[in-house]
Amino acid sequence: MEEAVADPRASILARIEWCQWQRTLALTPLEREAWRAEEEGLLDALLNRDHMKHYRYSRPDVFERYLMGIEDGHALIRLAYVERLLATTYE
């Protein structure tokens, strides 16, 4: 039986949807901005782009959330690559 290899896009898109949902529940503008920053970081990882300059001069907690999003997105992409590599190596 062939195992399915994870698609990083699905994981990243699910995380983006989570950020969008959390943004609707946010109580303050700063909290909404932080969720938006994390969402953009995830999207930047997925689309191989970088808006770090845009967030560098934001409030520190917003910048950290952008960084978390882009780093987590890159990690999900690397994990999927390793899983594909292992799946083809051990077929």
Side-chain angles (χ1 to χ4, degrees):
M1 181 193 291
E2 190 174 309
E3 279 189 45
V5 177
D7 179 3
R9 291 172 298 188
S11 297
I12 292 172
L13 290 174
R15 176 88 174 267
I16 287 171
E17 288 177 10
W18 172 255
C19 291
Q20 291 169 342
W21 172 250
Q22 291 301 313
R23 203 169 65 226
T24 67
L25 303 175
L27 300 176
T28 66
L30 180 59
E31 192 178 356
R32 282 189 291 279
E33 187 180 352
W35 282 112
R36 177 68 185 111
E38 184 175 337
E39 178 186 339
E40 188 161 14
L42 290 160
L43 192 56
D44 282 359
L46 185 62
L47 299 176
N48 196 28
R49 62 184 192 189
D50 188 336
H51 285 104
M52 198 169 304
K53 288 181 184 177
H54 172 76
Y55 284 100
R56 186 171 306 281
Y57 300 106
S58 298
R59 293 183 52 125
D61 36 352
V62 173
F63 180 61
E64 288 172 12
R65 290 290 287 281
Y66 173 80
L67 288 178
M68 181 172 57
I70 200 166
E71 289 170 358
D72 287 359
H74 285 144
L76 289 167
I77 291 167
R78 284 190 306 272
L79 178 62
Y81 172 77
V82 169
E83 287 178 347
R84 277 195 299 275
L85 184 64
L86 290 174
T88 58
T89 301
Y90 295 106
E91 284 184 344

